[in-house]
Amino acid sequence: MNVVEMRGIVKRFGAVTANAGVDFDLVGGEVHALLGENGAGKSTLMKILYGLYTPDAGEIRVHRRDMSRLYAAHLRSPADALALGVGFVSQHFSLVPTFTVAENIALGYTPGVRFDARAAGESVSVTAKRFGLAVNPQAQVRHLSVGEQQRAEILKALHREVRVLILDEPTAVLTPQEAEALFEAIRRLVAEGLSVVFISHKLDEVLAVSDRVTVLRDGRVVGLVATREATQASLARLMVGRETFGVSRGDGAKPGEPILRMVDVRADDDRRLPALRGLSLEVRQGEIVGVAGVAGNGQRELGEVLSGLRAPVGGQVFLGGEEITRASPAEVSARGVGRIPEDRLTGVVAELSVAENLALEHLGEFTRPFPPLPLGDGLGVRVLDRSQISRKAEELIAEFQIKASPGDRTRTLAGGNMQKLILARVLSREPRLVVAAQPTRGLDVGATEYVRSKLLEARARGAGVLLISEDLDEILALSDRVVVIYEGRLIGALAAGEADPEKLGLMMAGKEVGANAGTQN
């Protein structure tokens, strides 16, 4: 029996049609995956079901908790959806870091009623135990791991007794271990009678957790299949129109002189605890060095040190023959370091336009005298030349295949297009060193392939690339040399031909294999 029916859903954002007459059904007690590339319309469709967006056309029917048939749903807000038993967990959490789990879950739940911390904690504990979601109700959110924060978000919905749970890209920020724990939690939810919509672009996860799959492409349904009848190849063909994917480094790389040299670098994390503990590393021109490791072993701090965002407490960093140990982000960029941050949302200003974000790190190049006097610069005042910014944006949008217009607000871009924006801003400058931290996290197969190809192009023109990634497939496909970071130290280095998942897995667990990393070439 269907618990949700959506018919002919249309949603437009200006000239862009995100959903073009989409039909979608959710059967009671199933996990129904919504699969598609970034920007295919998956999240938009479910935000309509949750009342965050109003459709331009179409009809929605929902099986109410206490009714025996489907009723037309008029969803003007998430409160309307929650009243019908529909909950939504976004990939971008909405928790208050300084509140406890129980306080976050109670927030806005009983307006006008005095908050009872003890009663709230006990109630949350009951719900957590029922659904097998291990979270301490009294823990402050800022002290939780990403996986624990996600369980807290899910508990927020379950505590309101939802019967339909929408999970939007739930594994985008999770480690493989946390993702497996999430899949187990989803199975428990379905066993309790919930119906789950699982939004994803990851083929293996869809096959592992879902019962049926609806595939969207360019805002339209292009396939509805039972998961047991699907393969990765068949789903890939539906999703992007072809079956084969993947880029690899190829052979014949001839690394040149060292472009990056780190010597005994030490840095603290945000809690002032040691994060990098005497790390030494070398990257040469025309090579990709992959940094593998389990999340939380100093990768974020490594990327921030090389971006000028975190000052080391010891050691030295050299770019070419020039020391940049404590250079500012602007100085690092000016000296030829291109930075792709691990969280693309920190690499853009969401409320600015695409054109403004593309020019953001080099605004000085897009100015003109004011007032524009014929005899010179007048008062010496310069202002932004917005026509020049727009023209440059049009060039980069075409070159990097960004699905957007110069004037679009960056927050409206899908993840893949936002990452292309950052790539365009960074790689169009032809940096000497590219620091790419988790460059394909949360991207679909097509966008992943595109990003990897651009990193290989940078390598081919002679740039050094430091690839910091928790994706072993990515590390093995692109790296000329692989080093492993463990508890803030590089514990081993392997040439591309020597690296395999088994060896890297042992090293990621702290066992030294092969040559000592250091500045090993």
Side-chain angles (χ1 to χ4, degrees):
M1 179 177 66
N2 289 340
V3 294
V4 171
E5 291 180 1
M6 305 179 77
R7 295 286 178 265
I9 301 298
V10 176
K11 182 61 181 176
R12 303 182 185 90
F13 297 96
V16 177
T17 300
N19 294 142
V22 175
D23 293 342
F24 177 80
D25 294 332
L26 180 65
V27 174
E30 76 165 344
V31 179
H32 193 145
L34 263 180
L35 179 66
E37 293 187 275
N38 298 111
K42 311 181 298 295
S43 296
T44 298
L45 184 68
M46 288 299 105
K47 286 178 180 178
I48 289 171
L49 178 58
Y50 189 57
L52 287 168
Y53 294 155
T54 301
D56 297 311
E59 183 180 49
I60 304 170
R61 294 183 179 274
V62 177
H63 189 292
R64 296 180 182 175
R65 285 190 290 260
D66 56 348
M67 300 293 182
S68 59
R69 61 189 178 89
L70 290 162
Y71 281 77
H74 302 286
L75 303 168
R76 294 159 294 187
S77 70
D80 290 342
L82 286 167
L84 292 173
V86 178
F88 185 96
V89 177
S90 171
Q91 60 178 302
H92 305 299
F93 304 148
S94 57
L95 301 168
V96 180
T98 55
F99 282 13
T100 67
V101 172
E103 288 168 341
N104 270 281
I105 290 173
L107 193 62
Y109 191 57
T110 51
V113 177
R114 183 181 178 86
F115 176 68
D116 186 331
R118 181 177 178 180
E122 291 174 352
S123 178
V124 171
S125 292
V126 169
T127 304
K129 184 176 181 180
R130 175 186 170 189
F131 293 103
L133 295 169
V135 181
N136 178 7
Q138 304 307 327
Q140 281 193 338
V141 165
R142 63 181 175 177
H143 296 146
L144 300 179
S145 70
V146 173
E148 289 171 326
Q149 290 183 45
Q150 187 179 67
R151 290 197 288 275
E153 284 278 18
I154 293 173
L155 274 175
K156 279 175 61 178
L158 298 179
H159 203 256
R160 288 161 171 76
E161 298 184 359
V162 301
R163 306 310 298 166
V164 172
L165 184 62
I166 303 164
L167 300 176
D168 186 6
E169 302 282 6
T171 65
V173 295
L174 300 186
T175 66
Q177 295 86 350
E178 289 172 331
E180 185 52 47
L182 172 66
F183 297 158
E184 184 57 36
I186 291 173
R187 296 181 188 106
R188 289 198 196 100
L189 296 178
V190 172
E192 283 281 340
L194 272 73
S195 303
V196 177
V197 181
F198 184 86
I199 305 175
S200 183
H201 56 254
K202 298 183 179 180
L203 303 175
D204 55 341
E205 294 180 355
V206 165
L207 291 172
V209 78
S210 68
D211 300 298
R212 290 193 298 159
V213 186
T214 291
V215 184
L216 296 182
R217 191 196 312 161
D218 295 328
R220 301 179 186 276
V221 175
V222 294
L224 171 60
V225 296
T227 306
R228 64 179 180 274
E229 299 171 358
T231 64
Q232 287 202 30
S234 67
L235 292 177
R237 184 172 60 250
L238 284 171
M239 189 165 68
V240 296
R242 56 194 172 98
E243 295 183 16
T244 57
F245 300 94
V247 295
S248 59
R249 65 184 177 279
D251 298 323
K254 297 179 179 179
E257 295 298 315
I259 188 63
L260 170 69
R261 191 161 58 92
M262 303 179 70
V263 182
D264 195 30
V265 172
R266 299 181 300 282
D268 294 339
D269 63 16
D270 293 339
R271 298 170 296 173
R272 298 186 178 179
L273 297 175
L276 299 180
R277 305 165 185 257
L279 185 147
S280 296
L281 172 69
E282 187 176 277
V283 179
R284 294 184 173 189
Q285 297 170 341
E287 79 165 345
I288 296 178
V289 175
V291 180
V294 176
N297 277 276
Q299 295 96 317
R300 182 165 69 91
E301 290 79 9
L302 172 59
E304 290 177 350
V305 164
L306 293 177
S307 300
L309 295 170
R310 184 178 299 271
V313 297
Q316 294 175 292
V317 182
F318 298 91
L319 184 68
E322 186 178 14
E323 185 171 0
I324 60 168
T325 306
R326 289 173 179 80
S328 69
E331 291 169 337
V332 167
S333 178
R335 294 177 189 180
V337 178
R339 304 159 294 174
I340 301 172
E342 79 171 63
D343 182 357
R344 53 184 165 269
L345 291 176
T346 66
V348 298
V349 180
E351 292 302 319
L352 293 183
S353 70
V354 170
E356 289 165 338
N357 270 287
L358 284 169
L360 197 56
E361 294 185 351
H362 309 283
L363 289 176
E365 300 177 10
F366 299 95
T367 62
R368 56 179 172 78
F370 182 83
L373 299 178
L375 298 179
D377 286 358
L379 300 176
V381 176
R382 300 186 69 83
V383 296
L384 287 178
D385 186 338
R386 294 193 174 275
S387 62
Q388 185 184 0
I389 290 174
S390 183
R391 287 194 300 272
K392 184 62 176 179
E394 288 174 353
E395 294 175 12
L396 294 178
I397 285 170
E399 181 181 351
F400 285 82
Q401 303 170 27
I402 304 170
K403 293 181 181 179
S405 299
D408 290 347
R409 288 278 171 261
T410 301
R411 61 177 167 77
T412 66
L413 270 61
N417 284 307
M418 196 176 291
Q419 192 73 334
K420 287 181 180 180
L421 184 157
I422 294 172
L423 283 174
R425 188 176 65 207
V426 170
L427 299 183
S428 63
R429 313 290 301 185
E430 296 192 352
R432 293 191 287 165
L433 173 71
V434 178
V435 180
Q438 319 298 344
T440 62
R441 175 183 283 169
L443 301 186
D444 60 66
V445 288
T448 293
E449 184 179 57
Y450 181 87
V451 171
R452 292 177 181 177
S453 70
K454 287 297 182 182
L455 294 179
L456 288 170
E457 286 178 14
R459 165 188 179 255
R461 66 168 174 77
V465 179
L466 186 69
L467 172 64
I468 306 170
S469 179
E470 294 161 21
D471 185 337
L472 285 186
D473 290 338
E474 181 163 81
I475 290 286
L476 292 168
L478 299 183
S479 302
D480 299 295
R481 201 157 42 89
V482 182
V483 299
V484 175
I485 190 169
Y486 178 75
E487 294 185 346
R489 298 182 178 90
L490 295 186
I491 66 167
L494 295 170
E498 300 171 352
D500 60 46
E502 182 178 357
K503 288 180 181 178
L504 292 178
L506 288 171
M507 294 165 72
M508 289 164 65
K511 180 179 176 60
E512 292 193 22
V513 177
N516 183 273
T519 56
Q520 184 75 27
N521 297 321

